Structure formats: C-alpha cells, structure tokens
Amino acid sequence: MDKKKERIISLLVYNKPDVLARVAGTLGGKGYNIESLCVDVTLNPDVSKIILTTMQTKSNASKIEKQLERLIDVVKVEDLTDVETIKREMVLIRMNLTEASKSDLIRTVNTLNCKIITFNTDHCVLEYTGSKGEVDHVLDKLKSLGVDDIARTGIAALERKN
C-alpha cells in the first residue's frame, strides 16, 4: 500500500516574478498542501532553487513532479525523499524573560545547543539549526519557558554526492 509520508521535492526554476506563485498554484489547485518551503537563488543568479515538502503518497508525488515539469520556468524537478540527502532547518525563537525564568532558560539553552542571538532584560532571541525532528524537540523543550514567537525556514535539502 502506498502510504503518505513527507516528500521532499527540489526544483530549479528561472528566477522570474510569479514562478513561485505558479508552483504553489500547481500544488494547491490539485488539493496538495505545501508543508514547508525554502527558496533562494543558486550560484547562478538567473536560477532559483525551491525545496518544498508535502505529505503525499509516492504515486501522488510522481503526479506532482510531472505537473511541475510542465511549467515553462521550471528547469528541473527531483524527488529527494528516497535519495541520500543532507536536510536541515533553522528556527529563530523569541523568548519572554522574567528574573525567575532566566537561569532555567540559560541552562536549557546550553543543554539544547541553541545559539543566543540577543539577550535583553525582558526577552531574548535564540537560533537553532538541525533536522526537522530536532527543531520540533527544541521547541517542545522551550515551550514551558516562555516562547513568544518563532520563525522557521522550512527544510533545506541537498543531495549527498559520493
């Protein structure tokens, strides 16, 4: 049976206005949700790389790939799910601080290997980079200490070459 799982799809696209909207529209128009999205230009400023994740069966992922390949500004589409890849996600975490919470927070931050970006009297901003599961774990551990807001990058993935 073809089970749904997180699929990682990498696209190389021409760096033009509206390309991302057409990619998102292709998935959304077929009822597929984008779980995470990471986009930036490549070493060639005319080409951008889009890494998106979606919860799909393998057969639906194949359909998505074929639909994306038909878009004019798409150069290449790859499903990286079953390929050996390096996957990382970064999160910025703003924490509310009180005198009572500061020592617990510092101890927890050191245990979790978070990087402190700013530290003021009433709040701090932390940075953490790791796998999706590791980011989820860090957020779960920090939640009780006063998480005010977060910003996640989405998964960045790169195929490992031998």
Side-chain angles (χ1 to χ4, degrees):
M1 183 179 171
D2 200 9
K3 284 186 163 184
K4 274 189 174 184
K5 73 175 191 177
E6 184 177 68
R7 312 295 307 180
I8 301 169
I9 299 174
S10 173
L11 296 95
L12 289 178
V13 299
Y14 291 113
N15 190 12
K16 294 181 178 176
D18 207 37
V19 173
L20 180 58
R22 279 183 269 129
V23 167
T26 298
L27 273 77
K30 301 292 182 185
Y32 303 130
N33 189 42
I34 296 173
E35 300 292 326
S36 78
L37 187 64
C38 184
V39 185
D40 206 348
V41 295
T42 62
L43 295 173
N44 175 353
D46 296 330
V47 177
S48 290
K49 182 179 279 192
I50 300 172
I51 304 291
L52 65 86
T53 62
T54 182
M55 294 297 289
Q56 299 300 326
T57 62
K58 189 170 181 80
S59 62
N60 280 350
S62 293
K63 290 176 190 174
I64 289 169
E65 284 180 71
K66 287 180 178 87
Q67 291 164 348
L68 291 171
E69 286 168 348
R70 286 189 220 133
L71 295 176
I72 291 171
D73 290 317
V74 172
V75 177
K76 184 177 181 183
V77 179
E78 286 182 284
D79 185 343
L80 298 178
T81 307
D82 299 322
V83 176
E84 190 173 348
T85 57
I86 306 300
K87 298 174 278 253
R88 309 298 280 169
E89 182 175 359
M90 193 267 294
V91 62
L92 295 175
I93 310 156
R94 186 174 55 229
M95 304 287 300
N96 290 322
L97 295 177
T98 63
E99 284 304 316
S101 70
K102 282 182 186 178
S103 61
D104 284 342
L105 179 66
I106 290 169
R107 188 172 31 259
T108 304
V109 163
N110 289 333
T111 303
L112 296 172
N113 294 318
C114 293
K115 182 177 179 183
I116 299 172
I117 304 298
T118 64
F119 200 91
N120 298 323
T121 55
D122 63 342
H123 76 279
C124 69
V125 175
L126 310 174
E127 175 187 319
Y128 183 80
T129 303
S131 69
K132 183 179 188 299
E134 291 168 340
V135 169
D136 290 340
H137 172 77
V138 165
L139 291 173
D140 187 54
K141 292 291 184 189
L142 292 173
K143 195 179 296 182
S144 65
L145 296 174
V147 173
D148 179 45
D149 199 5
I150 66 168
R152 291 177 85 152
T153 60
I155 293 172
L158 196 60
E159 183 178 353
R160 177 177 268 169
K161 297 282 186 178
N162 292 333

